[in-house]
Amino acid sequence: MTRKTKLNPRRPLVAGNWKMHRTASDTRALIQDIVKRVERVANIDLVVCPPFTSLAAAHETLGRHSILALGAQTMHQAKEGAFTGEISGPMLREFGVRYVILGHSERRQYDNETNEKVAAKAIAAVGYHLRPIVCVGETLSQRESGDTEAVIDSQIHTSLAGFPPEQIEELVIAYEPVWAIGTGKVATPKQANDVHHQIRKLLVKLFGPKGADIRILYGGSVKPDNAVDLMSQPDIDGALVGGASLDARAFFDIIEAARPKRATDHD
Ligand code: 13P
């Protein structure tokens, strides 16, 4: 693993995206199980993103001073209004939510969450003190036709259009190749790192040298047995975990893989 300097702003981050899994009552047990395992874990940021209907139960179970932060899986950009079925930033804040996943490929595919909408949501999110986790990633056919770089370039540019440069410390990017999500087909560490490196260069172009400090997570079939190799890549700052985050033991093992091994590496 590349030696990272003290006070590196790229502190590792592992987030669990529960997707449409776990009722509110199931949520309590899973949160308790995760907390029990991660209580003593340091030098890493940890997030769980349950469904909206489980946020209250998760918030209550976590209490105020937990090591686990709460995230939502999407939000609407407006503060309130006639948007049936939607949830706004202030509504999320009331449940202690600190992060919000935006532009996940499942929402891009099934719910028309376009790059333009992601941009509006990301700007709104930081306005409500929510940290956006902006997802990008190519499909299998885009990769096979050699378009990965162009797709990522366009997603990053359009999804971050107008994002306030003074808020980039709040921003997190997740690279999730669509072909690796829920398929068991994981990107090789080199394939993932190459795209992360490209994204980092784009972020510097967009935001200047500080853009290099924005954390970039890998997502797509991250499991305990592939996490060590992925997390040791120099441009991978953590993971956005789907299926394996529903199993407290597996989630903990992935967290351990992402954690810096020297206590002094990250404060
Ligand atoms: P899996 O880890 O289940 O492949 O899901 C990845 C994902 O979509 C996380 O947002």
Side-chain angles (χ1 to χ4, degrees):
M1 176 168 185
T2 306
R3 179 86 168 93
K4 292 180 180 164
T5 53
K6 202 164 188 268
L7 293 176
N8 190 332
R10 284 168 54 197
R11 180 174 149 105
L13 190 160
V14 174
N17 175 8
W18 291 11
K19 306 192 180 183
M20 197 171 73
H21 293 285
R22 299 296 185 266
T23 61
S25 39
D26 295 341
T27 292
R28 290 194 181 86
L30 181 53
I31 294 276
Q32 277 165 359
D33 198 358
I34 296 171
V35 166
K36 206 171 60 199
R37 291 167 198 272
V38 301
E39 242 162 12
R40 293 219 170 80
V41 169
N43 306 312
I44 189 164
D45 290 332
L46 303 176
V47 184
V48 285
C49 307
F52 289 139
T53 48
S54 289
L55 287 172
H59 185 44
E60 211 178 275
T61 311
L62 284 169
R64 282 198 62 194
H65 303 289
S66 175
I67 176 162
L68 272 186
L70 269 186
Q73 298 176 17
T74 185
M75 61 167 254
H76 194 277
Q77 60 273 28
K79 184 178 170 202
E80 58 181 9
F83 300 107
T84 303
E86 296 286 350
I87 302 282
S88 74
M91 293 170 183
L92 296 175
R93 284 306 311 248
E94 210 170 50
F95 291 99
V97 172
R98 293 290 292 118
Y99 291 80
V100 58
I101 298 172
L102 298 175
H104 189 281
S105 67
E106 286 149 15
R107 294 205 54 87
R108 289 177 184 267
Q109 187 183 348
Y110 306 124
D111 297 280
N112 197 30
E113 206 161 283
T114 59
N115 287 325
E116 289 74 14
K117 281 191 196 165
V118 173
K121 290 176 186 215
I123 296 166
V126 287
Y128 296 121
H129 306 287
L130 292 163
R131 295 183 167 151
I133 303 178
V134 172
C135 303
V136 296
E138 81 287 1
T139 62
L140 185 58
S141 65
Q142 288 166 336
R143 174 162 283 265
E144 284 176 347
S145 53
D147 291 335
T148 300
E149 211 174 306
V151 168
I152 298 294
D153 188 297
S154 141
Q155 287 178 335
I156 288 285
H157 272 99
T158 325
S159 302
L160 298 180
F163 191 85
E166 67 280 6
Q167 298 272 25
I168 57 170
E169 282 169 24
E170 304 298 311
L171 180 62
V172 179
I173 306 292
Y175 168 56
E176 300 204 305
V178 178
W179 49 271
I181 295 177
T183 58
K185 268 191 226 157
V186 64
T188 66
K190 178 168 175 357
Q191 274 175 330
N193 195 69
D194 284 351
V195 178
H196 281 229
H197 192 68
Q198 182 207 347
I199 294 173
R200 203 172 301 286
K201 285 205 303 212
L202 289 170
L203 294 171
V204 170
K205 236 165 68 184
L206 277 175
F207 298 114
K210 281 204 131 196
D213 294 339
I214 295 171
R215 290 179 289 187
I216 309 173
L217 315 181
Y218 171 79
S221 296
V222 177
K223 308 283 178 215
D225 63 358
N226 58 33
V228 172
D229 286 346
L230 285 163
M231 296 303 123
S232 60
Q233 293 295 306
D235 280 299
I236 298 184
D237 302 316
L240 182 54
V241 187
S245 72
L246 296 166
D247 176 326
R249 173 75 202 263
F251 191 48
F252 173 75
D253 288 346
I254 293 168
I255 290 164
E256 277 298 299
R259 214 156 63 80
K261 293 297 166 269
R262 277 182 258 248
T264 51
D265 280 1
H266 295 267
D267 280 347

